[in-house]
């Protein structure tokens, strides 16, 4: 399998890029040099090819998530996101899918809308006081508050406080250790017994997160007991009856925490790049603003679903600034597999990174340009090559929720700030928006300052 010579013998070069948040960009360069299939380590291959995507990410695929996913989350717990066991996964997904389906979510729209509206108000307030607003910060607060409220029955109130809470700081700290956890799990496990401040900080953060979500779940259980006929609906209300669902409180807690991790940064990063990409191109911005001007008041998601340009803008953001540009690693089944005329032995980790799939010039001409109009006529190849939410049985369960947040966020923002443009105040530059990706992607400056 083609690839750099070192990748035959060692993972060290790959690990270097992983620890520096550069894996998708490094692998993309390898594809440009070696073609659609590249060896990236002694037992690791990345493939940029639609037929491989279809084979690996299909329903009931035999390419399973490996233990790597459990190392990604603190405590290594098994939930719907981390599990590699197809039986465990399908049982869990069956239980959790219906409340987060597109039709069920319409009941949750008032909660989502009120949080998006609050984010817009806070952005306007910050622009008034500071002259610029950091939209990345506000979208992160919005997305975390929304998923917190939909999971636990009450929001984290980050939008109200205007600053990160202890819970989100703990989450951030734990996530920042993802590269270390997946690369040196032994060190992290031993770390619990070493009297070093960094390990103590991590252990304390882990304990606080566990106890916070446990208390939230307990509180919600209490709310149901007090008002059994009409409890505030959450994504977990139906499975609280452990006799019917078979899930313990601990298992519900683990799924809720999974939703919060998977559903906050992803949505916030996508909305941030959407605002950035649109507001830096006056042609795109003005066209979107014009389309949004036709909306009746008050803005409702049902009026946004069919707006052609808004949805093209969202699809183009998900293509160019996909929040998970990293290949979704899977383990090859024991009998091995053939890709592009090469045999890949069983046990090899294969990935199909969206960063490269979304930049195939044969499918997306001028791939590095932000051109929403390319989604006017969607070809079959464009659909098949698009992986912002993964695919097959493991496709993102939160994609409908994410799309509602993206539609409402973009629409309300550009209705309120039709002249928004990226700021150069406070030293803000394009450098801040350069993508960095461990598993998830984020702008390396961790901010996006916009003026209006
Ligand atoms: C723009 C926003 C989002 C993006 C780009 C995104 C992307 C993804 C991707 C690529 C996967 C597949 C991971 C893999 O196969 O390794 C995934 C899975 C998942 N996502 Fe999302 N996601 C987003 C929003 C959300 C939200 C709002 C939630 C909240 C519920 C969520 C919850 C999950 C869960 C639980 C899984 C695992 C599903 C399974 O394995 O069955 N995501 N997401």
């Amino acid at each position: 399998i083609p690839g750099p010579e070192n990748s035959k013998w060692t993972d060290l070069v790959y690990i270097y890029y992983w620890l520096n948040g550069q894996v998708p960009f490094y692998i993309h360069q390898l594809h440009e040099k070696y073609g659609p299939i590249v060896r990236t380590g002694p037992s690791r291959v990345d493939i940029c090819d639609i037929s491989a995507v279809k084979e690996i990410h299909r329903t009931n695929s035999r390419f399973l998530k490996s233990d790597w996913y459990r190392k990604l989350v603190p405590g290594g717990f098994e939930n719907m996101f981390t599990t590699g066991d197809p039986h465990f996964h399908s049982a869990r997904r069956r239980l959790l899918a219906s409340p987060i389906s597109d039709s069920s979510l319409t009941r949750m729209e008032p909660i989502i809308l009120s949080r998006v509206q609050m984010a817009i108000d806070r952005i306007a307030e910050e622009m008034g006081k500071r002259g610029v607003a950091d939209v990345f910060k506000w979208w992160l607060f919005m997305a975390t508050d929304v998923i917190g409220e939909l999971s636990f029955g009450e929001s984290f109130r980050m939008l109200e406080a205007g600053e990160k809470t202890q819970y989100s700081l703990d989450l951030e700290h734990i996530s920042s250790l993802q590269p270390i956890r997946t690369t040196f799990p032994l060190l992290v496990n031993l770390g619990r017994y070493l009297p070093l401040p960094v390990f103590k900080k991590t252990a304390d953060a882990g304990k606080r997160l566990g106890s916070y979500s446990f208390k939230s779940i307990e509180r919600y259980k209490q709310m149901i007991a007090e008002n059994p006929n009409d409890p505030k609906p959450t994504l977990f209300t139906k499975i609280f009856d452990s006799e019917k669902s078979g899930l313990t409180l601990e298992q519900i807690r683990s799924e809720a925490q999974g939703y919060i991790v998977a559903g906050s940064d992803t949505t916030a990063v996508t909305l941030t790049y959407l605002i950035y990409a649109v507001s830096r191109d006056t042609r795109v911005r003005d066209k979107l603003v014009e389309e949004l001007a036709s909306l009746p008041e008050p803005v409702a998601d049902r009026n946004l679903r069919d707006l052609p340009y808004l949805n093209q803008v969202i699809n183009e953001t998900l293509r160019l600034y996909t929040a998970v540009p990293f290949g979704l690693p899977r383990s090859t089944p024991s009998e091995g597999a053939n890709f592009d005329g090469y045999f890949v032995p069983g046990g090899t980790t294969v990935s199909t990174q969206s960063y490269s799939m979304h930049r195939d010039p044969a499918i997306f001409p001028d791939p590095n340009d932000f051109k929403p109009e390319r989604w006017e006529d969607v070809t079959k190849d464009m659909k098949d090559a698009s992986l912002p939410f993964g695919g097959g049985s493991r496709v993102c369960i939160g994609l409908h929720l994410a799309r509602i947040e993206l539609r409402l966020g973009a629409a309300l923002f550009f209705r309120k700030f039709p002249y928004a443009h990226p700021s150069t105040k406070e030293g803000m530059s394009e450098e801040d928006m350069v993508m960095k990706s461990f598993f998830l992607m984020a702008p390396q400056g961790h901010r996006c300052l916009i003026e209006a």
Side-chain angles (χ1 to χ4, degrees):
I1 295 173
E5 191 56 25
N6 63 61
S7 65
K8 276 187 194 163
W9 322 111
T10 177
D11 272 322
L12 276 178
V13 176
Y14 179 92
I15 289 172
Y16 168 81
Y17 286 106
W18 170 233
L19 294 176
N20 283 291
Q22 298 296 326
V23 161
F25 321 119
Y26 163 64
I27 292 184
H28 191 61
Q29 283 172 1
L30 296 183
H31 280 303
E32 285 176 338
K33 182 163 177 191
Y34 296 101
I37 177 162
V38 286
R39 192 188 54 237
T40 59
S43 187
R44 202 193 297 274
V45 170
D46 191 90
I47 313 165
C48 179
D49 179 74
I50 287 179
S51 56
V53 168
K54 282 188 178 164
E55 173 67 16
I56 296 169
H57 299 287
R58 65 182 166 79
T59 310
N60 300 327
S61 168
R62 297 216 340 106
F63 292 79
L64 304 178
K65 283 190 177 178
S66 66
D67 253 9
W68 185 86
Y69 277 87
R70 284 175 75 166
K71 292 183 204 147
L72 205 59
V73 297
F77 53 71
E78 187 166 42
N79 65 11
M80 185 176 56
F81 178 73
T82 61
T83 188
D85 175 349
H87 302 294
F88 177 100
H89 177 261
S90 61
R92 242 344 125 78
R93 186 131 182 161
R94 253 197 314 276
L95 276 178
L96 297 175
S98 136
I100 200 167
S101 67
D102 212 10
S103 52
S104 306
L105 282 169
T106 42
R107 285 201 312 154
M108 311 276 190
E109 192 186 328
I111 296 177
I112 306 169
L113 182 61
S114 77
R115 297 285 149 200
V116 174
Q117 186 56 58
M118 193 184 293
I120 301 290
D121 295 344
R122 303 305 311 263
I123 288 172
E125 220 175 279
E126 186 165 285
M127 279 182 184
K129 282 191 195 145
R130 182 178 168 190
V132 292
D134 180 0
V135 293
F136 184 39
K137 177 180 76 181
W138 293 110
W139 291 136
L140 186 60
F141 291 175
M142 183 280 289
T144 317
D145 278 356
V146 165
I147 193 65
E149 189 160 359
L150 298 191
S151 302
F152 294 141
E154 65 177 7
S155 138
F156 292 109
R157 301 193 186 285
M158 285 164 69
L159 282 167
E160 282 98 325
E163 55 188 40
K164 293 181 179 171
T165 58
Q166 186 63 49
Y167 185 84
S168 70
L169 289 170
D170 286 341
L171 263 183
E172 208 170 73
H173 173 71
I174 297 259
S175 305
S176 71
L177 293 180
Q178 275 177 352
I180 305 285
R181 244 193 335 266
T182 48
T183 315
F184 310 110
L186 188 64
L187 176 73
V188 174
N189 284 337
L190 283 176
R192 291 190 209 145
Y193 308 103
L194 300 175
L196 294 176
V198 61
F199 291 125
K200 173 149 181 12
K201 187 176 169 193
T202 308
D204 289 348
K207 273 188 216 147
R208 273 195 303 267
L209 281 179
S211 110
Y212 181 91
S213 44
F214 206 79
K215 278 189 204 145
S216 303
I217 293 280
E218 281 285 359
R219 203 176 310 121
Y220 185 63
K221 199 178 159 201
Q222 187 63 32
M223 273 160 70
I224 296 185
E226 282 162 12
N227 191 2
N229 296 327
D230 190 23
K232 182 174 179 184
T234 73
L235 300 173
F236 296 99
T237 307
K238 282 196 179 140
I239 55 174
F240 260 90
D241 184 343
S242 55
E243 270 177 29
K244 277 192 200 147
S245 73
L247 293 192
T248 62
L249 276 196
E250 178 55 29
Q251 288 166 325
I252 298 175
R253 186 191 69 79
S254 151
E255 295 299 347
Q257 204 156 310
Y259 274 16
I260 288 159
V261 174
S264 44
D265 293 74
T266 43
T267 311
V269 162
T270 310
L271 256 178
T272 300
Y273 275 99
L274 186 151
I275 303 298
Y276 178 69
V278 171
S279 64
R280 75 206 287 244
D281 184 334
T282 46
R283 184 194 65 82
V284 173
R285 187 195 66 194
D286 295 348
K287 189 167 167 184
L288 180 62
V289 168
E290 193 184 325
E291 184 181 76
L292 295 172
S294 65
L295 284 174
E297 281 282 0
V299 172
D301 187 50
R302 65 177 178 284
N303 301 122
L304 303 179
R305 288 173 179 255
D306 298 325
L307 284 189
Y309 202 56
L310 174 67
N311 288 291
Q312 287 164 26
V313 162
I314 291 173
N315 287 341
E316 185 64 345
T317 309
L318 288 166
R319 179 189 74 82
L320 196 57
Y321 301 107
T322 177
V324 190
F326 191 78
L328 310 170
R330 298 292 191 266
S331 192
T332 306
S334 54
E335 67 274 19
N338 284 296
F339 293 111
D340 280 317
Y342 293 95
F343 178 70
V344 175
T348 307
T349 299
V350 282
S351 56
T352 50
Q353 60 170 17
S354 57
Y355 186 84
S356 298
M357 293 297 302
H358 293 181
R359 281 169 178 72
D360 183 337
I363 303 173
F364 302 104
D366 303 320
N368 294 317
D369 294 350
F370 186 81
K371 278 193 193 164
E373 287 78 4
R374 72 173 83 240
W375 295 95
E376 262 168 28
D377 294 307
V378 184
T379 64
K380 184 165 180 325
D381 276 0
M382 283 167 82
K383 266 194 197 156
D384 291 344
S386 296
L387 277 177
F389 295 108
S393 326
R394 306 303 298 253
V395 72
C396 176
I397 199 168
L399 72 93
H400 300 297
L401 172 59
R403 281 194 180 269
I404 297 176
E405 292 179 74
L406 296 176
R407 284 190 294 266
L408 288 171
L412 294 188
F413 182 89
F414 283 105
R415 272 167 72 89
K416 175 84 180 174
F417 309 109
Y419 302 109
H421 55 276
S423 178
T424 50
K425 287 185 183 161
E426 301 182 21
M428 169 83 199
S429 73
E430 283 185 14
E431 275 291 296
D432 285 280
M433 296 306 291
V434 169
M435 296 187 253
K436 205 166 179 180
S437 165
F438 293 104
F439 183 64
L440 302 181
M441 182 271 280
Q444 66 174 4
H446 285 282
R447 62 178 184 167
C448 177
L449 301 186
I450 298 285
E451 284 177 60

